[in-house]
Structure formats: C-alpha cells, structure tokens
Amino acid sequence: MSLRVSFTVLSTLFCVTINAQEQRDSTGTTALEEVVVTGQYHRQSVDKSVFQVKVIPRRVIDNLAANNLADVLNQTLNINIVPNPSSGKSGVQLFGLDSQYFKILIDNVPLINDEGLGNNTDLTQLNLDDVEQVEIVEGSMGVQYGSNAVSGIINIITKKSSAYKWQINPYVQEETIGSEYGFAHKGRHIQSLKVGHNISEKWYMNGTYTRNDFAGHFGDRKGRDYERNDGHRGHEWLPKLQNNAKALVRYNGDGLKAFYRFEYFDEEVSLYDSLVRTNLNSATQTTNPTASDEIFLSKRFNHHFNLSGKLTETINYDASFSYQQQKRDVETYNYRIRSNEKFDQESFEYESRKGFYSRGTLNNLFRNRWSNYQFGYEVSAIDGYSSSLAGDFETDHIKRRLESYDVFASAEYVVSKKFSVRPGVRSLFSSKFDPQTAFSLSTRYLFENAYQLRAVLGTSPRSPNYDELFSYFVDINHDLRGNEDLDPERGYSAFLHLKKEFWAEDSAWSLKSKLSAWYLSVDDRIELTIVNTNPLAFQYNNIDSYKTWGLSYTNTLSYNKLQLSGGISFSGQSKNLESQEDFNDDYLYSVQLNGNLSYRLPKWNTVFSAYYKFTGKQYQFLQDQNEEGEVIFIKGEQDQYAWLDATVKKSFYDNRLQLTLGARNLIDITRVNTVSGGGGTLHSNATSSVLLGYGRSYFLKLSYNLNL
C-alpha cells in the first residue's frame, strides 16, 4: 500500500482541526479524565502531568482481543514490533533503538527476564488479562526509572479493585495462524479464568489463570515428522505453549494501602531442525531418518509487595519490594522421525536472571502552595547466568552478579496557575561500573486559549549486555571478543508537546490534537570495531554515536458513538561511526501513519473497531567488504508495509456474554524485502526479506462476565 493511499485515508481526520470551534471549560466535558501513575508523585489526571503519557485503556485491549503486549503495541506510532521466529521472541524498537534501550515495568517495578531487568523483554510473555491500562512515556527517563530507560518506558498497570462483591470472568479464544487452523496441532487456542472478590470494604483479592497454545506456523515447512532432507522440516514460526497464573491481595485502609502480587509463568518453545539425517543401512538398503531438536523451557516467578500511605499528615510514602526469577532451560535430543522416539537427551540451564529489587519514595516533603519535593531510592541485586549455547564465551558459561544503588530527588514548582516546572537528578552506583548521573527538567505551561505546552529534557545511561562484556569467539578463522572495560552508553532526549482539546457548543463532539517534536542522542555507543587488520580481529568498544529527531501530529475525534483517531510521524536517524574516519551516516528519514476507528451501536449492543498502521520505507547502513577486503558501509532499504486489524464485539444478556469476531493482518503481510544499495562484494544489490507476520488471521473470542 503506497504512502499516498495511506495519507489519503487519514487526511480527512487531520483537516478537522482547521474547523474546530473554541474550547469550552474542561468542567463541561462528560468524558472521564484519564488517570496515570507513571512518573507522578501520586495518581492524577493525565492533563495535570508534567510528562506526556500515552494511555492504552482496557477498552482498546478488549476491542483488539489482545492477549499479550505485542498484540496492542503493533498499532502505536514510533514503535515497531520486532519478531524473531527462530527464537519465538518479540522485542520492541522505539525511535530506531532496540529493546536494550527501552524499559518495561509492571506497577512501577521493572520486570525480570532471562536476559535482563526491564529491558530485552519478550513482549509475547506479558499477558494482559489482569491489566487495567498500559502507560507509555517516550524519551530518557533516567531520573525516574534508572539505567536502560534511554528511549522510553512502558508501565503496565494491573487491576486492583472492583465495584462488585464477586467478579467471575472465563473466556475462550480460537484463532487461525494465517490460513492454518485445527483443534489439535494448528492454530492458537486460549483459555482463561479470572475471579475477583471484595472480602470487605478494605480487602480485595483476585486470581487469573491463562493457557495460550500457539501451535506454530508451517509456511513452506512440513512440521516435526517430515523426513526428507530438503530444508522443509520444522516450522516457520516456532510453536509455543504458555501457562500464566497470577494472584493479588490488596488492603485499602484509611492511612495505609498495601498489595501483594504474585505471578508464575512458564513457556515451552519447540525447535525442530530442518537438517534430516537419512541414516542409510547399506545391508538392507533402508533408511531411518533422524534429526537433532531442542525444547526451550522458561519459568518466571515474580513477587511484588507494595506499601503506601502517610508518614505524617503531609508526607506520603510509597515502597515496593520485589523478588523475581526467570530461568530458561534447554533440552537437546535426537529424534527418530518414523517411530517418534527421542534419544540422547540432555537438559541444562541456558540463561537466567534472579534477584531482589526495591524502590521507595517520600512525597510532599516541605510542601506548600507553590512547591513539592520527592526523594527516593532504588536498589537491585541481580544474578545473571548465560551458557555457552546462549553466546560465545571464553568459559563454558558466564555467571555474574550486578548490584546497583541509586538515589534520586525532584521538586515540582508551581510558579503560577499556568506554569509549573520539575527538575530532577539521580545518582547511579554500581558494583561493575563507575558512578553515573541522570538529569531531568520538565515543564508545563497553560496558554490563555487553553493550549497546553510541555517541554521535557532527560538523560539515562544504558549498561552493556553480556555479549558486549564477555563474548569470546576465537579460532583459526575468527577473532571476536567482548570488553569488560566498557562504559555505559549515555542517552539524552528533548521533547516538546503542544496539545489542545476542542468541543462543540452542544457537546456533540470533541477533538484532541497534539503536535510533538523530539531530539534523542546516544553517545559512547557500543559497537563491534576492528582492533587489528592482520589477522582480522574484532572487539566491542565505546566508539560511536546515534541521533534521531522527528515530528508527530495526532488527533482523536469523539462524535456521539464514534471515536476516530489518527497520527503521522516523520523522523530521521543518524549513526556516526568514529571507528571509520571516511564514513558519515547522514540522516535517514522514514514516515509512519496510524488510524483507529471505533463505533458503538447501542441498539445492537455492538462495537465495531478497526486499527491501521503504515510504516514507510526504512533505511540503514550495512557493513560489507570491498574487493580489497576493506570494511565499507552500504545503504540498505526496507520496503514499506501496512497493518490492519478489525473486530466486531457484541454483548448479550445484559452484557454478561460477549462475542468478539475479528481479523488480524488483513493486508496479509508476511515478509518485507530489504535491498542493499550496492558497493560491496558480499551483499551488493542483494535482496533479503524480514519475516514480520504469518498472514491474515481470524479469531473468535467468547467471554462471560458474572458480576454479583
């Protein structure tokens, strides 16, 4: 789908702003204000926040029939979902930076995974069945959330209350995977049960269990029991089975609030090798084909205890304590295809992280009419393990402990009714790296004509990962090494947001418009550099820098039962390789568009929804070699593509029974071509493809809501 067609689809929405009438006083609107917690001193309206917080409410999650975080982020501007079919994982890319620069939290606590704490998170492992809303803040948030929050954060807010004595919500969801579906070994099959109970006015508890069976996608592959050695054995998208159990107990007293949340998650991912050994018996002229397969088993435990309340009549406190562990084991075995028999089985730990985390704040210190202060701490002690299969290391495995001790402070000054400013600073101390410092400065200004202007400056470091620190791959043909002397990268960001809401005089419609501009840079970026030309040797070093800037414009129109939103984003990215003196990466530009439509038909008790996103051509420079064997860089181009989801949700029997029918990836995207621009010998004018989806899929979700 061309950029011209995509722009035409959304242009009508943008033109509405030109004819918007004068804004009415905000007390005149009947819409409920969105309340956020991310980066705040306390829960408050998103319009009062000095940060620009994007909110994905429960309503959107339900309309999409989204089961995990990847299902909902796929439609968000500036965010790209990066699936890895060979490992079964899906990461996130924001402003061109991958999952290492982005932090994912649950109730303000970073979530551990088998590769890190908060970063490098697999989005498909984050179930949304107990989630109230998802909050996104773009830009460096080092003062509020520490290291690795360079490009932004996602904060998943779970549900902790109910208006009913009892809530019982079971559902089943059946989904095709592309054109493949079957009740046994094809398709996606989800079953879930959630039970909530108000024990008393002060005590509430809930529990959720979800089973998600993704049977994998064959594509041009033939599955586990295919016995020919022609590269077609196995799956294009790996099958995975997930089980997720959660429980929450919450106390809400007069001067004390507390909750304890527990989560258990396990996942089994099966990898069937495409290489088949025929094992010809020369005496009988018969074959007994075998293959070497792997099963990856992940388990995660998450304990989170939170206390909040009043330390004095004016001072509030909030403290979280969390112990988490995620472990990924691998079982390797040989498989006799005809007899379905495993042999030569071995099991061992592949990767893991476990540790303690705590964060606490004191708010409303020295508070008066024009100022408020916050002091806080954040500590973590994380044990990490990676086996030789997870990376190339000098020893059979790498086991390291990383401790961090941070303190931070910020103050919010209300200079006038129109202008407020919040400066902040954090000191980061680590058992591995030298002390780091993060700064922030956020402001909000209200103009006479009800425009809201926010300016946000922030910094955050990014800590090196295991591969960058400890890699060791040296033989007669290779020499690639990590570097334990690496420094954390340094991220800086500046964002400017101009926002206004319009209403018609009769309240029939409202329009929210927002124009944003940003600049983000990463210095001391870690890259694999050539440290010796003869023999050729590589090592990770702090050598390069990355820059991106951009503009976005979004609108949300509400008219009676209709909600229509759309946005456009234009951004440029530049990567300066100081390791290559004759290389200069100019800014490479790309465009994204998105649009969402939701219409409620009360007579039928039905909601129609559609979600569209267009991603324009993306460019990057690729490393290659010329005819003399010298390292050069060539320009690569990834084709544009578009994504469209649509759903119809109908309620029966006084909203107790809900039926959702929908389609994902209606444009039927599977692979997107990437073409290099020539100039080298290895990839000159070569075309490859990136696997983004498994084609058009359809789903049916049936849920029952019993509220007593």
Side-chain angles (χ1 to χ4, degrees):
M1 184 174 291
S2 69
L3 176 60
R4 178 177 298 178
V5 173
S6 299
F7 187 80
T8 302
V9 171
L10 299 176
S11 59
T12 302
L13 177 63
F14 298 134
C15 291
V16 174
T17 307
I18 300 175
N19 300 314
Q21 299 183 23
E22 275 302 308
Q23 182 184 20
R24 199 176 59 169
D25 186 89
S26 61
T27 57
T29 180
T30 58
L32 294 176
E33 289 186 306
E34 290 178 329
V35 175
V36 295
V37 301
T38 305
Q40 313 303 314
Y41 287 175
H42 51 78
R43 292 176 64 95
Q44 66 176 356
S45 164
V46 67
D47 281 339
K48 295 180 180 179
S49 170
V50 294
F51 296 105
Q52 185 62 45
V53 184
K54 294 182 180 179
V55 178
I56 302 175
R58 183 73 229 181
R59 169 183 54 83
V60 172
I61 297 173
D62 289 337
N63 287 345
L64 281 166
N67 175 260
N68 60 58
L69 193 57
D71 291 337
V72 296
L73 293 184
N74 210 28
Q75 306 293 342
T76 306
L77 275 185
N78 299 320
I79 290 182
N80 292 326
I81 303 302
V82 184
N84 186 342
S86 63
S87 67
K89 295 185 176 184
S90 288
V92 64
Q93 187 182 75
L94 179 62
F95 302 118
L97 296 171
D98 62 25
S99 300
Q100 298 182 88
Y101 298 84
F102 196 81
K103 210 161 189 175
I104 294 182
L105 321 169
I106 297 181
D107 294 323
N108 275 325
V109 172
L111 181 68
I112 207 165
N113 59 75
D114 47 29
E115 294 186 42
L117 179 66
N119 59 328
N120 288 318
T121 304
D122 179 4
L123 303 183
T124 66
Q125 294 184 351
L126 300 180
N127 175 267
L128 301 179
D129 287 344
D130 67 334
V131 170
E132 180 178 308
Q133 64 187 35
V134 177
E135 300 177 3
I136 304 172
V137 180
E138 298 171 338
S140 299
M141 295 286 287
V143 170
Q144 290 75 24
Y145 296 105
S147 61
N148 303 325
V150 176
S151 60
I153 64 158
I154 288 180
N155 197 4
I156 300 172
I157 309 301
T158 61
K159 187 175 182 180
K160 304 177 186 67
S161 64
S162 172
Y164 301 95
K165 181 74 173 177
W166 283 94
Q167 271 192 315
I168 302 174
N169 174 220
Y171 78 82
V172 293
Q173 184 169 329
E174 294 294 311
E175 187 168 339
T176 70
I177 302 177
S179 59
E180 301 170 8
Y181 179 77
F183 285 106
H185 302 297
K186 293 182 179 181
R188 186 183 185 190
H189 315 279
I190 304 173
Q191 306 89 37
S192 179
L193 174 64
K194 180 180 177 181
V195 179
H197 177 47
N198 275 310
I199 303 170
S200 66
E201 291 184 359
K202 296 183 178 180
W203 288 93
Y204 169 78
M205 64 184 300
N206 67 41
T208 305
Y209 170 75
T210 304
R211 183 181 187 270
N212 184 355
D213 183 5
F214 178 87
H217 182 248
F218 291 100
D220 62 353
R221 302 293 186 91
K222 304 297 183 181
R224 180 190 63 180
D225 297 327
Y226 185 71
E227 60 182 54
R228 294 184 181 178
N229 186 29
D230 56 7
H232 290 294
R233 183 175 181 267
H235 293 76
E236 190 174 54
W237 292 75
L238 299 185
K240 61 169 68 177
L241 175 63
Q242 297 176 338
N243 291 280
N244 203 191
K246 308 173 187 178
L248 178 133
V249 179
R250 188 224 65 198
Y251 174 78
N252 191 3
D254 295 332
L256 172 67
K257 296 181 180 180
F259 71 82
Y260 167 73
R261 183 178 182 273
F262 169 78
E263 179 182 2
Y264 169 78
F265 170 85
D266 70 50
E267 177 186 75
E268 178 180 306
V269 179
S270 300
L271 173 60
Y272 304 120
D273 195 6
S274 60
L275 177 64
V276 177
R277 299 180 293 272
T278 56
N279 298 321
L280 175 66
N281 187 321
S282 58
T284 62
Q285 291 298 303
T286 59
T287 60
N288 185 16
T290 61
S292 298
D293 298 335
E294 297 174 327
I295 296 177
F296 293 92
L297 302 167
S298 296
K299 291 184 178 181
R300 180 174 71 232
F301 296 91
N302 185 349
H303 303 268
H304 179 190
F305 179 63
N306 176 269
L307 284 170
S308 62
K310 288 186 173 296
L311 193 64
T312 67
E313 290 186 2
T314 58
I315 299 176
N316 299 327
Y317 67 89
D318 188 290
S320 286
F321 307 89
S322 177
Y323 179 80
Q324 305 179 51
Q325 177 180 0
Q326 179 152 331
K327 181 180 179 182
R328 195 179 199 208
D329 295 336
V330 60
E331 177 188 338
T332 63
Y333 61 92
N334 290 316
Y335 181 71
R336 293 189 177 96
I337 296 174
R338 290 176 182 166
S339 60
N340 299 330
E341 178 187 356
K342 293 181 180 181
F343 64 100
D344 294 340
Q345 295 171 254
E346 288 187 80
S347 297
F348 51 89
E349 187 174 341
Y350 186 81
E351 278 184 311
S352 69
R353 298 291 188 276
K354 63 179 179 180
F356 171 80
Y357 171 90
S358 180
R359 169 190 166 96
T361 59
L362 291 175
N363 303 314
N364 298 336
L365 292 168
F366 321 116
R367 185 176 184 178
N368 51 50
R369 289 183 302 174
W370 60 275
S371 65
N372 191 0
Y373 300 86
Q374 180 188 77
F375 290 95
Y377 75 88
E378 183 177 88
V379 298
S380 65
I382 307 299
D383 292 309
Y385 173 90
S386 287
S387 69
S388 57
L389 285 184
D392 297 303
F393 305 119
E394 191 168 6
T395 58
D396 290 339
H397 63 267
I398 293 293
K399 188 174 183 180
R400 294 290 189 273
R401 180 180 179 88
L402 179 63
E403 299 175 357
S404 63
Y405 316 92
D406 299 357
V407 291
F408 57 94
S410 65
E412 187 164 331
Y413 299 103
V414 181
V415 181
S416 67
K417 291 182 179 180
K418 297 180 180 180
F419 181 60
S420 59
V421 59
R422 184 196 292 186
V425 62
R426 173 184 287 235
S427 295
L428 302 92
F429 304 94
S430 166
S431 59
K432 173 66 179 174
F433 307 109
D434 292 335
Q436 305 286 317
T437 305
F439 302 95
S440 68
L441 180 63
S442 306
T443 63
R444 182 176 71 112
Y445 187 83
L446 304 179
F447 291 93
E448 290 288 349
N449 53 5
Y451 279 96
Q452 300 179 29
L453 180 65
R454 288 175 174 83
V456 183
L457 305 176
T459 69
S460 176
R462 200 277 291 181
S463 301
N465 60 38
Y466 263 43
D467 287 340
E468 293 163 346
L469 290 169
F470 308 121
S471 288
Y472 187 86
F473 181 31
V474 178
D475 59 23
I476 192 171
N477 297 314
H478 305 88
D479 191 336
L480 187 156
R481 309 184 191 210
N483 184 354
E484 294 194 46
D485 294 325
L486 288 172
D487 294 323
E489 299 177 356
R490 296 176 293 124
Y492 309 87
S493 70
F495 279 75
L496 195 65
H497 306 280
L498 182 63
K499 179 180 177 182
K500 183 173 182 178
E501 187 166 359
F502 305 87
W503 285 273
E505 293 182 359
D506 58 359
S507 299
W509 62 264
S510 67
L511 175 69
K512 296 180 180 179
S513 296
K514 180 169 68 74
L515 177 66
S516 298
W518 66 85
Y519 174 81
L520 189 150
S521 71
V522 180
D523 291 341
D524 290 334
R525 196 174 186 199
I526 299 168
E527 295 283 355
L528 193 60
T529 63
I530 299 174
V531 293
N532 192 31
T533 56
N534 189 18
L536 190 62
F538 297 86
Q539 186 182 51
Y540 287 101
N541 283 292
N542 296 99
I543 193 69
D544 302 323
S545 64
Y546 176 90
K547 299 180 180 66
T548 179
W549 74 272
L551 300 167
S552 68
Y553 179 53
T554 60
N555 285 284
T556 299
L557 172 68
S558 298
Y559 178 74
N560 291 331
K561 309 300 185 293
L562 173 69
Q563 276 204 336
L564 185 64
S565 64
I568 181 170
S569 173
F570 175 80
S571 62
Q573 300 169 10
S574 173
K575 180 177 176 182
N576 295 320
L577 302 182
E578 298 176 12
S579 55
Q580 306 295 322
E581 295 181 357
D582 58 348
F583 176 75
N584 180 24
D585 184 346
D586 294 329
Y587 278 95
L588 304 178
Y589 294 98
S590 61
V591 174
Q592 286 190 355
L593 305 171
N594 76 342
N596 306 329
L597 181 148
S598 178
Y599 183 75
R600 183 168 61 89
L601 200 60
K603 184 178 179 180
W604 294 355
N605 212 3
T606 302
V607 178
F608 300 88
S609 303
Y611 300 86
Y612 172 82
K613 183 178 178 182
F614 170 84
T615 301
K617 289 185 178 181
Q618 299 182 70
Y619 304 92
Q620 61 179 343
F621 280 90
L622 309 174
Q623 182 173 304
D624 203 342
Q625 289 183 358
N626 60 20
E627 295 179 354
E628 288 75 31
E630 298 173 335
V631 174
I632 62 171
F633 291 86
I634 57 177
K635 186 177 181 180
E637 174 185 299
Q638 180 176 291
D639 284 349
Q640 61 193 26
Y641 64 94
W643 200 277
L644 176 63
D645 297 342
T647 64
V648 179
K649 184 174 70 174
K650 180 170 177 57
S651 300
F652 304 88
Y653 306 116
D654 196 25
N655 293 326
R656 289 189 176 183
L657 184 66
Q658 289 185 335
L659 175 67
T660 305
L661 298 172
R664 306 190 200 277
N665 191 8
L666 275 168
I667 302 175
D668 202 24
I669 297 297
T670 54
R671 294 180 178 272
V672 177
N673 289 332
T674 300
V675 183
S676 66
T681 60
L682 299 181
H683 306 96
S684 180
N685 295 315
T687 299
S688 59
S689 62
V690 178
L691 196 58
L692 290 181
Y694 40 77
R696 186 182 299 114
S697 301
Y698 302 93
F699 65 85
L700 181 150
K701 179 180 179 180
L702 186 64
S703 62
Y704 185 77
N705 303 308
L706 180 60
N707 301 320
L708 302 175

